[in-house]
Amino acid sequence: MDSPIDHYLQRIHTEIADLKDGKPYSSIPAMANVDPDNFGIVLATADGYVYEIGDTREEFSIQSISKPFTYGLALADRGMDDVDAKVDVEPSGDSFNEISLAEGTGRPANAMINAGALTATSLVRGSGGNSRFKRILNTYSAFAGRQLSVSERIYQSELKSGHRNHALAYLLRSFDIIESDPTPVIEDYFRQCSVMVTTLDLAMMAATLANSGRHPLTNDQVLDIAPVERVLSVMATCGMYDDAGAWMSSVGMPAKSGVAGGTIAVLPGQIGLAVYSPPLDAHGSSVRGVAVAQRLSSDLELHFVRAGRTGRSALRGSYDIGTTPSGIRRSEEAANVLRANLARARILELNGDLLFAGAEAMVRELASLDDDVELVVLDLRSVDEVSGVAMRMFAEAAHMLTEAGRSLAVVDAEGAVAESLMEDGHDVQAFATRSAAVEWCEEELLERHAAGLVQPARILPDDSPALAPMGEELAKNLAARMEKLTYDDGEVIRRIGQRFSGVYFIASGHVQTLMPGPDGHRVKLNRLGAGMTFGEMALGEDKRQETTVKADGVVEVWRLPAEKIADLEENEPRLAMQFWRALTQDAYTRVEQYLRETAVRVQD
């Protein structure tokens, strides 16, 4: 099943592709003939899952998007204090190529403008036999998760046409910000801008920043958390140059643009976004890149103010219903059918805050379900908050499950999610407890795969499966000695410790059996329905009830009283023997079924 996020990105890509504003950057001759219609979007989660649409594998030069990564490497090499002495962390309010140097010291305003980026490049050390640029390229490659290369053609074009950057480097040398011959620094800076990347590469680089400097797929710690913290902070305030304030207001994510048409944005702990589209606006940023970031921030609630609370890991567990069976006593035949089809019903247990990251994890799990899954249960009992984007993704997921021929159930004590989905016209089953949802799954599986084994709503004692071994005539004989009893929801039918009062046959409705747990609270053992029996296990040495039985809804039972059983044993011992043999066979079957189910849970 396709993910709702894939469909959403396809729709956004189609809509924003119609934007024809802006022009590709032409000051670097080697980049002048790029196709303005190239357009790719990649969303990479902090754990490395990728959503992509459009020209995501088209290569282009990284340009100024290189600046945060070189700055991070300089911080790792030199430490905060040494780097701060050479380049500040204040927004300049100027465009990327302005001469924003502090009066008297010549210190650049930040590492995102060209003057600061040249300074950061000069601060990177050669090490371990690797030159400064080799270390820069290796760092970019580690962030991307693959070996990147340099376009010699773009490098030579920049070297010949980048007069302003040459001038900036020499000006920085005059203030001793660059402490040695600026020519090698200029060359390495132009080389780093000429590194070739794809939109996918940039998204993984952004996701690595989102993941505290650890690459989500290779698991390499590319940059420690302290430099990552500083890099993202400077990206937030300075990454979009003289448009940084408007960007932070409308998008709310640390970001960086490049004149080749690339844009990255980072939501720490959640996602890395990359967009490629060459036409630029007056600030030197991709027109479509800005539009995509604004749209995703609004639609998916990615602004740092909304997405600040990531909550606990949202997807707590994903398992089939065999892990938590209902406890309903089934015939051996029905139990076999359920065992063969357990994997067709899947429970997704969610908790914490369902913001974008949590909802994304949920829909990703739904999209990856095996083809034979027919029933899906979303257990929301431990969810603290459901955001607007999560509700929209619930609705998208419900629609796609329906399209795929699957049925959805929601365990939601408050009922808000299920109610919202129903109001939108989605066919959703709603339950207050997981056990009730599992019971529904079991009944659905039996209905779909063995309709003849679904038990009728009312089964009188003479038709009870427990008495079937006795034959029809003897079963009717016993049924004639029973008394009919009815109980309302919650009524106690018998209590633990009471003396044996007889054997009970459930004609309709359900009962819950309970016993004290280790902490003194009652533990639900199972739920019994029509055609099932209880009470016979009290015939131990002291003939005391071992469980409490309560009505779960209105229930009709027929009881063969203890005194009638005593009369049978005295006056009709053969019939009594056949009766106990039938009950013993039924009990043996139930124990065998329980042991099989326990084995299934252990294997899972």
Side-chain angles (χ1 to χ4, degrees):
M1 186 181 80
D2 290 337
S3 166
I5 298 175
D6 287 318
H7 284 258
Y8 168 76
L9 289 180
Q10 289 169 4
R11 186 169 69 250
I12 294 303
H13 186 275
T14 300
E15 293 175 8
I16 294 179
D18 289 335
L19 283 178
K20 303 297 181 182
D21 298 339
K23 293 181 179 180
Y25 192 66
S26 58
S27 296
I28 301 173
M31 294 168 49
N33 296 320
V34 68
D35 185 350
D37 291 330
N38 283 338
F39 182 24
I41 306 172
V42 179
L43 194 65
T45 64
D47 63 353
Y49 194 82
V50 170
Y51 301 91
E52 56 183 312
I53 183 70
D55 304 308
T56 60
R57 308 301 172 99
E58 182 79 18
E59 283 200 326
F60 55 95
S61 57
I62 193 170
Q63 294 300 323
S64 287
I65 299 175
S66 65
K67 294 172 181 176
F69 302 99
T70 300
Y71 180 49
L73 182 56
L75 290 166
D77 278 0
R78 302 278 185 165
M80 298 285 184
D81 292 341
D82 284 357
V83 174
D84 287 350
K86 296 291 186 179
V87 58
D88 208 345
V89 293
E90 297 298 329
S92 66
D94 295 327
S95 63
F96 65 92
N97 58 0
E98 287 298 311
I99 305 173
S100 295
L101 307 181
E103 187 175 351
T105 65
R107 188 169 65 147
N110 60 73
M112 300 299 109
I113 58 175
N114 287 7
L118 283 161
T119 304
T121 299
S122 76
L123 294 173
V124 174
R125 292 190 172 113
S127 177
N130 288 323
S131 66
R132 174 172 54 205
F133 177 70
K134 185 65 173 176
R135 290 193 64 236
I136 290 173
L137 181 62
N138 287 344
T139 297
Y140 295 0
S141 299
F143 268 100
R146 74 177 183 98
Q147 186 58 49
L148 303 177
S149 61
V150 177
S151 168
E152 186 65 23
R153 183 174 65 88
I154 293 177
Y155 164 67
Q156 291 295 337
S157 183
E158 292 214 42
L159 194 60
K160 291 176 183 178
S161 62
H163 306 301
R164 193 179 189 90
N165 285 325
H166 281 274
L168 281 171
Y170 278 94
L171 186 58
L172 290 166
R173 179 67 185 92
S174 72
F175 284 104
D176 212 28
I177 297 297
I178 293 178
E179 298 179 349
S180 59
D181 181 3
T183 300
V185 175
I186 296 168
E187 291 173 349
D188 285 348
Y189 176 71
F190 285 143
R191 283 192 181 94
Q192 78 176 45
C193 290
S194 303
V195 171
M196 300 301 287
V197 293
T198 65
T199 321
L200 178 59
D201 292 329
L202 290 182
M204 293 311 301
M205 294 172 82
T208 301
L209 288 175
N211 195 38
S212 302
R214 185 179 294 276
H215 193 282
L217 300 181
T218 67
N219 206 36
D220 291 339
Q221 188 69 48
V222 184
L223 200 62
D224 289 338
I225 185 61
V228 169
E229 183 181 83
R230 171 61 71 84
V231 166
L232 290 175
S233 298
V234 174
M235 286 173 64
T237 57
C238 311
M240 302 302 284
Y241 311 123
D242 50 333
D243 195 37
W247 173 277
M248 209 58 193
S249 176
S250 63
V251 177
M253 289 186 280
K256 191 71 196 75
S257 61
V259 293
T263 306
I264 65 169
V266 178
L267 186 58
Q270 298 198 40
I271 62 139
L273 168 67
V275 184
Y276 170 52
S277 177
L280 309 180
D281 62 18
H283 304 285
S285 299
S286 167
V287 172
R288 294 189 188 119
V290 172
V292 168
Q294 290 175 336
R295 184 68 178 275
L296 265 62
S297 176
S298 174
D299 291 353
L300 303 183
E301 299 180 9
L302 300 180
H303 195 288
F304 77 94
V305 173
R306 287 179 177 266
R309 292 192 301 118
T310 58
R312 294 165 289 171
S313 177
L315 185 58
R316 187 175 181 180
S318 177
Y319 43 85
D320 65 45
I321 61 171
T323 305
T324 56
S326 69
I328 293 178
R329 195 186 302 168
R330 306 281 183 185
S331 69
E332 178 66 7
E333 201 174 0
N336 286 336
V337 171
L338 286 178
R339 278 193 290 273
N341 291 280
L342 290 175
R344 297 181 184 276
R346 197 83 185 166
I347 298 173
L348 270 63
E349 190 177 343
L350 306 170
N351 64 190
D353 296 332
L354 279 185
L355 308 180
F356 171 75
E360 183 277 328
M362 174 196 70
V363 297
R364 189 200 310 177
E365 183 70 17
L366 290 175
S368 67
L369 291 175
D370 291 340
D371 291 341
D372 60 354
V373 173
E374 301 172 3
L375 309 172
V376 176
V377 176
L378 298 179
D379 187 347
L380 309 181
R381 292 171 301 155
S382 298
V383 169
D384 300 322
E385 176 187 341
V386 179
S387 66
V389 65
M391 286 299 299
R392 292 195 296 275
M393 290 170 74
F394 274 128
E396 288 271 1
H399 173 73
M400 297 181 77
L401 287 169
T402 300
E403 289 290 302
R406 292 164 168 168
S407 300
L408 175 64
V410 176
V411 181
D412 179 15
E414 300 296 325
V417 172
E419 184 179 346
S420 176
L421 292 174
M422 291 176 189
E423 287 176 354
D424 287 344
H426 299 290
D427 185 12
V428 177
Q429 300 293 322
F431 302 97
T433 65
R434 182 176 59 189
S435 60
V438 171
E439 290 171 20
W440 169 77
C441 287
E442 290 179 351
E443 295 299 325
E444 280 290 305
L445 289 175
L446 288 173
E447 182 70 37
R448 296 181 184 199
H449 300 283
L453 298 181
V454 177
Q455 293 179 328
R458 191 164 187 263
I459 301 176
L460 292 175
D462 48 339
D463 292 322
S464 170
L467 299 183
M470 297 181 63
E472 183 178 348
E473 185 176 342
L474 292 180
K476 288 183 180 295
N477 186 332
L478 273 179
R481 305 166 191 249
M482 298 180 189
E483 57 185 359
K484 177 182 176 182
L485 303 169
T486 58
Y487 298 89
D488 291 327
D489 182 38
E491 276 194 85
V492 174
I493 300 173
R494 60 161 207 200
R495 295 186 185 277
I496 190 170
Q498 287 181 339
R499 292 193 64 80
F500 174 66
S501 57
V503 177
Y504 295 75
F505 293 76
I506 304 172
S508 64
H510 293 87
V511 301
Q512 288 276 5
T513 63
L514 310 101
M515 68 180 300
D519 59 357
H521 290 85
R522 286 181 176 177
V523 176
K524 293 181 180 179
L525 295 181
N526 54 24
R527 186 171 185 258
L528 309 179
M532 301 177 187
T533 65
F534 62 91
E536 65 271 23
M537 303 303 288
L539 285 171
E541 264 186 37
D542 60 359
K543 295 188 177 182
R544 297 283 179 181
Q545 305 290 355
E546 296 181 349
T547 60
T548 293
V549 180
K550 290 177 65 175
D552 188 3
V554 176
V555 62
E556 173 191 335
V557 298
W558 291 73
R559 181 176 67 179
L560 184 61
E563 56 270 21
K564 293 285 182 74
I565 295 174
D567 183 67
L568 272 177
E569 291 173 336
E570 182 176 350
N571 299 310
E572 300 180 69
R574 186 173 179 182
L575 178 59
M577 180 64 69
Q578 288 180 295
F579 172 58
W580 289 124
R581 185 178 294 163
L583 289 183
T584 302
Q585 182 175 332
D586 182 53
Y588 173 81
T589 300
R590 297 199 313 265
V591 170
E592 186 180 40
Q593 178 183 338
Y594 169 78
L595 291 174
R596 281 205 205 93
E597 289 172 347
T598 302
V600 168
R601 290 197 289 273
V602 170
Q603 290 170 4
D604 288 345

